[in-house]
Amino acid sequence: MEWEAVIGLEIHVQLATRSKVFSGASTRYGAPPNTQACAIDLGLPGVLPVLNEEAVRMAVKFGLAIEAEIARRSVFARKHYFYPDLPKGYQISQYELPIVRHGHVTLHLEDGTAKRVGITRAHLEEDAGKSVHEGFGGLTGIDLNRAGTPLLEIVSEPDLRTPQEAAAYMRKIHTLVRYLGICDGNLQEGNFRCDANVSVRPVGQEAFGTRTEIKNVNSFRFIEKAIAYEIERQIDILEAGGRVVQETRLYDAAKGETRPMRSKEEAEDYRYFPDPDLLPLVLDEAFIEGVRATLPELPDAKRARFMEQYGLSAYEAGILTGERALADYYEQVVEAAGGEAKLAANWVLSELLGALNKEGLDIERCPLPAGHLGGMLRRIQDGTISGKIAKEVFEAMWRGEGDADAVIEAKGLRQITDPEAIGRIVDQVLAQHPQQLEQYRAGKDKLFGFFVGQVMKATRGRANPQQVNEILRRKLQG
Amino acid sequence: MNLDRSSVERIAHLARLALAEEDVPRYVRDLSRILDLVERMGAVDTRGVEPMAHPLDIPQRLRPDEVTEEDRREELLGLAPQAEAGHFLVPKVID
């Protein structure tokens, strides 16, 4: 039987506010335990939550970016469960009336096709604290610094069909929240966490199969592997005549498999009800339009513009606009290079990304200023250096040895374009290799490359390659 | 609407309430009567009425995004039965 997977993702995005969603405690990452947990975060008696305006703005910003409906009235609800890192015994979330509903994003897949993925809803809620199971003997330590950090939970429609699409969707949301500046997007620090709902059904069947939920997969690579494993597992069960059990599973990256979490004592029943401590959130047009005015150029628009304005391929434009900082860097290079868009794309995509990758740096911490790279491209363009020598210049600039002109000067890398100078070197090379010269003239054409190599060697690669070819060809004919 | 004994026990468990065995029949009776009342209200035609989320008819006020709380860890940890190395301590829990 042919099977088809049905996948939906729930992504928890930590909003990059300075203070918490309902209290004035700091959200700074990495502080000593419990130094950023105040009476409200601890749920002490008598405290009242007050909603952070910036968290609301960020949620609206996301909603506008996915062309969603922004609720003029939304309501906070209590979601009850008992766990020691949730001090109140409930999480403040949104249930029936979330702030954002019915949006969508477009994925640009590797095969060149585009796919629209619906976003059911995005709602504001608070994060829980952290449990530390090691180092306290037989007890568990609780750090509530993270408790009350604002989260935007983004729920997709079950529109994804393959692990690759799921990973592309996760990347898309990551790119988007980084563009919007509403999330740092640091997966290691848990800024951006993903749960996947996965089921399979025979191709052509309308009804969904029984789904499982894979919790907390915080890597683009692992989401693909975890879902692929889960799809295979479910198909194996069904083909053997069994039934998939609806449950929550964890992905074990070391073993490359999913396994059930300890089964809950009872079915989930969160007993939601509207939080009496919080009034309905009412947004007017002025507020929403004010947020709209702060929207940057979004990734899809930027990608289309890069293709149009700079003549880049979909692939090139896709990578260059994957991070707003990279796109900005690229545009600065183009400007400094005097509009050499294609050349700039080649250098940024190959040399620059390669060098960043090699040193494990992201574009924000790139040691090479865009202006330096652009200036170097000008020197390629005006013939001061060849493309080959440019790699040497690039490396020197990367190491902080100044801009292109300074490096070219200091290292004497200026291209030799004086025909007489090149002619003299060609004469020397021919004089030094009489045997090869004789063979060449006897018809061994392949030796042409040998002579080019010798001239380049004698000039440490600085001779203009076209001129070398011409002059050499003329002189070889004798 | 008649709640049965197991429903009451389940509701108590979800709220982590320990009910004394002899009190259970009373809760079954009282909660059933409350649900009866809710059911009677269900007969009222509420088409076109926006569900009330809060008895006060005013919108939520917003707070500027500023850090206003300072570190009061030692004081707050002191409220807990057990604390160590900056953490609250609780009986071992593992997912």
Side-chain angles (χ1 to χ4, degrees):
Chain A
M1 189 179 302
E2 285 259 13
W3 298 92
E4 172 183 64
V6 176
I7 305 158
L9 298 191
E10 291 170 18
I11 297 178
H12 287 88
V13 167
Q14 249 181 31
L15 296 175
T17 55
R18 283 191 287 274
S19 65
K20 294 190 177 170
V21 61
F22 298 116
S23 83
S26 171
T27 56
R28 191 169 55 91
Y29 181 81
N34 290 310
T35 54
Q36 295 178 170
C38 70
I40 294 174
D41 307 325
L42 265 53
L44 295 187
V47 298
L48 267 186
V50 187
L51 184 57
N52 184 333
E53 175 168 357
E54 193 57 27
V56 175
R57 280 185 186 285
M58 289 176 169
V60 170
K61 207 169 179 182
F62 179 77
L64 292 172
I66 59 165
E67 295 171 14
E69 286 169 25
I70 310 297
R72 279 8 181 211
R73 178 173 175 274
S74 66
V75 170
F76 287 91
R78 294 184 176 182
K79 175 180 179 178
H80 297 84
Y81 63 92
F82 292 96
Y83 205 77
D85 57 24
L86 185 76
K88 295 193 294 296
Y90 59 85
Q91 177 192 28
I92 305 177
S93 181
Q94 296 190 301
Y95 187 51
E96 286 172 312
L97 297 169
I99 188 164
V100 170
R101 278 192 303 188
H102 305 142
H104 64 91
V105 291
T106 301
L107 307 182
H108 302 284
L109 300 170
E110 272 176 25
D111 62 8
T113 59
K115 181 183 173 103
R116 181 181 157 125
V117 179
I119 292 175
T120 317
R121 58 185 278 154
H123 64 256
L124 278 167
E125 62 184 26
E126 58 178 344
D127 210 342
K130 274 183 183 162
S131 302
V132 184
H133 301 295
E134 306 296 321
F136 294 99
L139 299 171
T140 293
I142 304 293
D143 172 10
L144 296 172
N145 279 350
R146 202 179 65 182
T149 297
L151 295 178
L152 187 66
E153 180 175 337
I154 302 163
V155 182
S156 85
E157 293 285 327
D159 286 348
L160 303 160
R161 292 290 172 269
T162 67
Q164 293 74 29
E165 286 180 11
Y169 169 80
M170 186 177 168
R171 279 180 204 280
K172 184 82 190 191
I173 297 296
H174 186 259
T175 295
L176 196 54
V177 297
R178 298 257 302 148
Y179 261 68
L180 297 171
I182 63 173
C183 174
D184 295 336
N186 188 324
L187 282 77
Q188 282 79 38
E189 291 179 7
N191 276 195
F192 190 90
R193 316 196 288 265
C194 190
D195 303 338
N197 289 303
V198 180
S199 65
V200 298
R201 64 183 174 190
V203 169
Q205 179 183 307
E206 191 77 24
F208 294 153
T210 305
R211 69 186 161 88
T212 59
E213 182 176 15
I214 313 170
K215 277 276 181 200
N216 260 326
V217 190
N218 302 330
S219 136
F220 300 119
R221 213 154 38 90
F222 290 162
I223 195 79
E224 209 169 310
K225 290 187 175 174
I227 293 173
Y229 177 89
E230 187 56 23
I231 292 171
E232 285 306 311
R233 190 187 72 86
Q234 292 186 13
I235 291 174
D236 287 349
I237 290 173
L238 295 170
E239 290 194 333
R243 298 177 67 158
V244 173
V245 179
Q246 182 167 348
E247 64 187 354
T248 303
R249 300 177 69 87
L250 274 181
Y251 179 64
D252 181 336
K255 291 193 179 137
E257 61 181 33
T258 65
R259 57 186 151 75
M261 285 173 77
R262 195 187 63 169
S263 68
K264 297 201 171 161
E265 295 158 45
E266 70 266 336
E268 282 178 0
D269 184 345
Y270 293 123
R271 299 169 296 141
Y272 283 98
F273 66 79
D275 190 332
D277 285 346
L278 289 153
L279 294 151
L281 173 63
V282 176
L283 301 177
D284 59 22
E285 295 310 305
F287 183 94
I288 293 168
E289 291 314 306
V291 175
R292 194 190 301 278
T294 67
L295 281 181
E297 183 182 30
L298 296 175
D300 287 349
K302 204 184 273 292
R303 178 176 175 276
R305 178 169 66 79
F306 275 26
M307 291 170 70
E308 167 80 24
Q309 181 179 345
Y310 299 127
L312 303 181
S313 69
Y315 173 79
E316 291 167 329
I319 295 183
L320 289 172
T321 57
E323 284 279 336
R324 188 171 164 184
L326 181 63
D328 290 346
Y329 186 98
Y330 167 72
E331 295 207 276
Q332 286 163 24
V333 173
V334 173
E335 201 189 329
E340 289 296 332
K342 200 77 187 177
L343 189 63
N346 292 342
W347 277 84
V348 170
L349 289 172
S350 57
E351 299 300 319
L352 184 84
L353 289 184
L356 287 171
N357 196 24
K358 201 167 132 200
E359 303 205 7
L361 294 174
D362 51 35
I363 187 70
E364 273 110 342
R365 290 186 297 154
C366 178
L368 173 58
H372 287 186
L373 181 52
M376 186 194 83
L377 302 185
R378 266 186 198 269
R379 295 294 165 258
I380 297 176
Q381 214 45 40
D382 67 15
T384 307
I385 53 173
S386 65
K388 199 162 172 226
I389 289 293
K391 299 209 169 160
E392 199 178 330
V393 176
F394 178 91
E395 278 164 26
M397 293 195 303
W398 180 268
R399 289 190 300 267
E401 296 175 20
D403 67 11
D405 288 344
V407 170
I408 292 165
E409 211 50 53
K411 293 187 175 285
L413 295 175
R414 191 172 286 277
Q415 186 162 241
I416 303 168
T417 52
D418 173 7
E420 283 185 28
I422 296 174
R424 279 196 297 276
I425 295 160
V426 169
D427 289 339
Q428 278 168 25
V429 165
L430 296 185
Q432 280 159 7
H433 300 92
Q435 217 179 329
Q436 285 87 344
L437 182 58
E438 201 175 311
Q439 288 170 356
Y440 180 86
R441 287 189 173 145
K444 203 169 171 191
D445 291 348
K446 276 195 297 187
L447 279 170
F448 188 77
F450 165 80
F451 289 115
V452 172
Q454 291 301 313
V455 173
M456 292 317 258
K457 196 171 154 195
T459 60
R460 289 185 298 125
R462 291 181 304 140
N464 177 293
Q466 271 124 24
Q467 286 177 298
V468 170
N469 277 341
E470 278 167 34
I471 294 169
L472 193 57
R473 203 169 294 280
R474 204 173 62 229
K475 295 207 183 241
L476 280 170
Q477 275 156 15
Chain B
M1 180 175 175
N2 265 331
L3 274 182
D4 58 17
R5 189 184 174 92
S6 69
S7 303
V8 169
E9 282 167 348
R10 183 178 131 80
I11 293 164
H13 177 69
L14 282 172
R16 300 296 188 273
L17 293 174
L19 300 187
E21 191 65 27
E22 64 269 25
D23 290 338
V24 174
R26 184 161 60 85
Y27 283 116
V28 168
R29 194 173 60 241
D30 290 355
L31 288 174
S32 294
R33 290 180 60 197
I34 290 171
L35 290 177
D36 285 345
L37 178 65
V38 171
E39 218 161 63
R40 276 167 65 193
M41 291 193 289
V44 178
D45 183 358
T46 54
R47 272 175 296 182
V49 178
E50 186 176 272
M52 185 178 73
H54 201 281
L56 297 180
D57 191 19
I58 46 174
Q60 175 65 36
R61 278 183 57 182
L62 301 175
R63 169 179 72 74
D65 180 27
E66 284 161 13
V67 175
T68 53
E69 297 283 348
E70 47 193 44
D71 173 17
R72 290 168 65 192
R73 178 170 85 177
E74 297 319 311
E75 201 182 332
L76 293 171
L77 285 180
L79 301 172
Q82 247 188 310
E84 187 185 305
H87 289 78
F88 295 98
L89 293 190
V90 298
K92 190 116 185 160
V93 278
I94 293 269
D95 284 325

